Amino acid sequence: MPAVELRLAQGTPCWVSLLTHDLPGARAFYGELLGWTYSPGPGQLGAYVRAELDGTPVAGLGVSTATGFPVQWTTYFAVDDADRTAQLVRECGGTVAVGPLQAERAGRMAIASDVSGAVFGLWQGEEHLGREAGAEPGGPAWAELLTPDADGAATFYGAVLDRPVRPALGGSALLVHGRPVAGIRHHADLRGHPPRWRTHFAVQDAALTTRHAVELGGRVLVEPHDTARGRAARLADPQGGHFSVLEAAA
């Protein structure tokens, strides 16, 4: 796929990043499972690497320095002005926990949470515009918010990202230029977990990937099952980071 040359449209999920307590272990697990190789990321972000597929960036992995902070994947949304969007987050009842700050010449970023506490990122790309690979195996395929307040989330993200949210399969979807780019699902019982954005990675065979994840020390949270978007499974890496794999429907 050609390299991205223009910043992705406002509201588009443009990057995913994992904060973990064991960066070497995470690199080994995801490298083997999803076929990733790695290159150095911005030094300002500490121990941080970019995961690549055939030389194109797809995700970031870094070390969590916060005590008690869970291992988790964070979805970043492309924005035209990180400072302005961060202010909108506050005005709409959310919280900005980090930034906005400059990640060297890669871009400007912030980490925020919505009205229910789900964490997400903002990315104003400069030299690094976001993921360059599409939904081919190993790349991020879909972002979905699980929240007990789907209506409130739809209002919040629609206002903060200045994009419409419309009813869609199993919930609602954030639209960019009329195309669904992320989902919002009502989930009353999160089993003790906070509301969260779930990252789905594309795979050729969800069942085979699930077995491989277990062989590599991961866990199965939900066995492969059919969904409106294809066959999917929910997994956890050896450090406890939750993610999903999605086998595109034929």
Side-chain angles (χ1 to χ4, degrees), residues 61-80:
L61 283 73
V63 173
S64 174
T65 58
T67 302
F69 192 79
V71 175
Q72 66 178 24
W73 283 97
T74 299
T75 296
Y76 285 75
F77 293 91
V79 295
D80 297 330

Side-chain angles (χ1 to χ4, degrees), residues 142 144-150 169-172 183-188 190 198 200 225 227:
W142 183 244
E144 186 173 71
L145 175 67
L146 302 180
T147 177
D149 183 11
L169 296 171
S172 58
I184 297 174
R185 284 184 54 200
H186 177 77
H187 210 300
L190 294 175
R198 182 192 296 166
H200 295 66
H225 59 286
T227 74

Side-chain angles (χ1 to χ4, degrees), residues 112-185:
S113 58
D114 65 22
V115 288
S116 293
V119 175
F120 64 100
L122 306 174
W123 182 256
Q124 179 185 337
E126 294 173 10
E127 287 188 354
H128 174 59
L129 299 176
R131 68 180 186 232
E132 296 181 14
E136 59 261 36
W142 183 244
E144 186 173 71
L145 175 67
L146 302 180
T147 177
D149 183 11
D151 290 340
T155 299
F156 174 86
Y157 288 100
V160 165
L161 298 174
D162 192 25
R163 294 297 182 190
V165 178
R166 298 287 184 265
L169 296 171
S172 58
L174 179 72
L175 304 183
V176 173
H177 302 323
R179 180 176 64 89
V181 296
I184 297 174
R185 284 184 54 200

